[in-house]
Amino acid sequence: MREIELLAPAGDLEKLKIAFEYGADAVYIGGEIFGMRSAAKNFTKENMIEGVNFAHEKGKKVFVTCNIIPRSEDLQVLKDYLLELEEIGVDAVIVSDPGVFKIVRETIPNMEIHISTQASTTNYVAAKFWYNKGAQRIVTARELSFEETKEIREHIPEDMDIEAFVHGAMCMSYSGKCTISNYTTGRDANKGSCAQSCRWKYTLMEENKGEYTPVVEDIDPEFFFNTKDLCMIKYIPQIFESGITSLKIEGRMKTAYYVATTVRAYRMAIDEYYKDPENWKFNPIWLEELKKGSHRDYSTGFFLNRPDENSNNYESASYIRNYDFIGLVKGYEEETGLYIVEQRNKMYVGDKIEVIGPFKDTMFTTIEEMYDEEGSPIESAPHARQIVKMKVGIKLEKNYILRKPTEKARIL
């Protein structure tokens, strides 16, 4: 059986480390230029060096996005940037533009190149074209079904990887080539500054002799372009059978908690498949875990069939948030027997909480005692990233995550 790579997003250094701790095989990150998520914190050179070293010590990989659609002026600094990436030791660069591809091949010829989903690779002839030019991997267009992906796999060289998005936000435009953001806000979506204008509320009107009437009257509010999130955790066998070799999670703008919960769930599903492929069964707990992170309603995108009216959420563009990420375990204090926790949302003594950790089942406990950094007892931790010490009834490890239901979820 071909090993499948679990590829996670990392918007900053903390998320990179969390992704690897929770089971990712590789991460994709952006530098300070040439990435499609300019609003993410992204990586300075120093951060990138630390992240790559951390990954390689664990036998993991780091890929860097260079997948904007550039103008000629953007190319002036590209060569120096590529040489910097080679010096740092990144494992691959992700590109979509043929000009950028050519410059990468000429400047750092030994660098592995992945063809971004922005290149809209939808057939095996295009895939073989990129392979013959020197690409090692294609990130297929998100508009492909399992059957179409399998056809590509059957016609390309065995040593060419197929990477595909299996989880996260979906773009309403073909392979992310969108101009709505440019038109509505002046922010170039194809240079990483998408304002997500597609998720705004619109009213579709028809004009007839100066009179305007709504085209759709039974949808209010009218979020015409608001796609549901992609979630393929129920379909691990079909992913393997289609020939996909890297499962990609969307979300470089998302939180460390999102990265941890999503990677953890897919890691469990994939590992269960490795144990006994023929008898693999979907475990509803995996989906429940995904739903405890910030998400929209889920769909299967294009994998099973063409999207229909059930693939969009016409009522709201808001995320569903039923759980708060309240703390990240940073260490343990031997002399007091207390855990050191960095606060991420307000928490109180007496809170009934859930704890997740890498390769561990979800644990349930209560915050029994809490102290500030000086050791004085406190009843709550209200300050952002406040360092507290606490006593709970179970054993914790560094990078375990504490969460609790939101007030809304508790009321429901």
Side-chain angles (χ1 to χ4, degrees), residues 324 326-327 341 343-353 365-371 378-383 386 388-392 402-405 407 410:
D324 284 332
I326 59 172
V341 175
Q343 184 260 35
R344 295 304 176 90
N345 269 292
K346 193 171 185 178
M347 52 185 167
Y348 300 84
V349 172
D351 275 345
K352 297 183 184 304
I353 64 172
T365 190
T366 301
I367 299 176
E368 298 174 359
E369 300 172 10
M370 196 152 54
Y371 304 86
I378 54 176
E379 289 298 313
S380 68
H383 306 300
Q386 178 180 357
V388 299
K389 301 171 185 178
M390 67 171 60
K391 180 181 179 182
V392 294
L402 315 183
R403 69 186 179 201
K404 66 178 182 180
E407 285 294 334
R410 287 196 288 272

Side-chain angles (χ1 to χ4, degrees), residues 199 223 226 295-297 313 315-321:
R199 301 198 187 276
F223 294 94
N226 183 45
H295 67 286
R296 301 181 183 92
D297 288 333
N313 186 347
E315 296 181 357
S316 172
S318 300
Y319 279 105
I320 301 168
R321 294 183 176 92

Side-chain angles (χ1 to χ4, degrees), residues 223-266:
F223 294 94
F224 294 114
F225 310 120
N226 183 45
T227 55
K228 292 181 179 179
D229 283 0
L230 178 66
C231 178
M232 297 303 296
I233 201 164
K234 292 183 180 180
Y235 301 92
I236 298 300
Q238 292 90 329
I239 290 171
F240 272 82
E241 292 161 10
S242 70
I244 295 169
T245 49
S246 179
L247 279 61
K248 190 170 193 174
I249 297 167
E250 181 275 339
R252 279 196 291 134
M253 300 284 290
K254 305 286 181 65
T255 66
Y257 173 61
Y258 167 88
V259 172
T261 53
T262 310
V263 169
R264 177 171 170 264
Y266 276 90

Side-chain angles (χ1 to χ4, degrees), residues 139-154:
V139 187
T140 49
R142 301 191 201 197
E143 294 78 21
L144 294 185
S145 67
F146 277 132
E147 289 303 314
E148 290 170 316
T149 304
K150 190 173 183 179
E151 185 176 16
I152 293 175
R153 175 78 274 167
E154 290 170 350

Side-chain angles (χ1 to χ4, degrees), residues 123-366:
N123 62 78
Y124 60 82
V125 176
K128 286 198 288 188
F129 168 84
W130 287 116
Y131 180 83
N132 292 332
K133 292 293 183 181
Q136 285 77 28
R137 175 181 299 194
I138 52 164
V139 187
T140 49
R142 301 191 201 197
E143 294 78 21
L144 294 185
S145 67
F146 277 132
E147 289 303 314
E148 290 170 316
T149 304
K150 190 173 183 179
E151 185 176 16
I152 293 175
R153 175 78 274 167
E154 290 170 350
H155 286 84
I156 63 174
E158 180 67 20
D159 62 343
M160 187 178 201
D161 287 333
I162 295 179
E163 178 183 307
F165 281 95
V166 297
H167 191 90
M170 291 284 284
C171 181
M172 55 77 63
S173 293
Y174 204 96
S175 295
K177 294 184 176 68
C178 181
T179 57
I180 298 178
S181 177
N182 302 56
Y183 180 78
T184 56
T185 68
R187 289 167 53 178
D188 192 340
N190 298 304
K191 284 191 176 182
S193 298
C194 180
Q196 297 201 35
S197 308
C198 58
R199 301 198 187 276
W200 298 354
K201 178 183 176 181
Y202 295 96
T203 300
L204 184 61
M205 307 290 286
E206 180 181 29
E207 188 271 337
N208 183 19
K209 297 181 180 180
E211 296 291 327
Y212 291 86
T213 56
V215 174
V216 183
E217 296 184 349
D218 59 345
I219 299 175
D220 184 30
E222 297 161 348
F223 294 94
F224 294 114
F225 310 120
N226 183 45
T227 55
K228 292 181 179 179
D229 283 0
L230 178 66
C231 178
M232 297 303 296
I233 201 164
K234 292 183 180 180
Y235 301 92
I236 298 300
Q238 292 90 329
I239 290 171
F240 272 82
E241 292 161 10
S242 70
I244 295 169
T245 49
S246 179
L247 279 61
K248 190 170 193 174
I249 297 167
E250 181 275 339
R252 279 196 291 134
M253 300 284 290
K254 305 286 181 65
T255 66
Y257 173 61
Y258 167 88
V259 172
T261 53
T262 310
V263 169
R264 177 171 170 264
Y266 276 90
R267 180 79 274 158
M268 290 190 287
I270 293 167
D271 289 350
E272 281 300 309
Y273 185 82
Y274 283 139
K275 290 177 184 177
D276 189 358
E278 292 185 2
N279 296 303
W280 183 90
K281 291 183 179 179
F282 166 70
N283 188 337
I285 289 175
W286 302 331
L287 184 57
E288 288 175 18
E289 283 297 312
L290 291 173
K291 288 182 177 180
K292 288 182 179 181
S294 181
H295 67 286
R296 301 181 183 92
D297 288 333
Y298 289 130
S299 79
T300 55
F302 289 78
F303 278 107
L304 303 184
N305 46 48
R306 300 293 179 188
D308 56 21
E309 66 276 7
N310 296 314
S311 298
N312 278 24
N313 186 347
Y314 300 103
E315 296 181 357
S316 172
S318 300
Y319 279 105
I320 301 168
R321 294 183 176 92
N322 292 326
Y323 276 75
D324 284 332
F325 169 27
I326 59 172
L328 180 67
V329 178
K330 307 297 284 187
Y332 179 70
E333 198 171 69
E334 292 281 353
E335 58 271 24
T336 62
L338 299 174
Y339 291 101
I340 302 168
V341 175
E342 184 179 81
Q343 184 260 35
R344 295 304 176 90
N345 269 292
K346 193 171 185 178
M347 52 185 167
Y348 300 84
V349 172
D351 275 345
K352 297 183 184 304
I353 64 172
E354 296 182 12
V355 180
I356 62 170
F359 309 99
K360 297 282 186 181
D361 291 335
T362 301
M363 297 170 281
F364 303 86
T365 190
T366 301

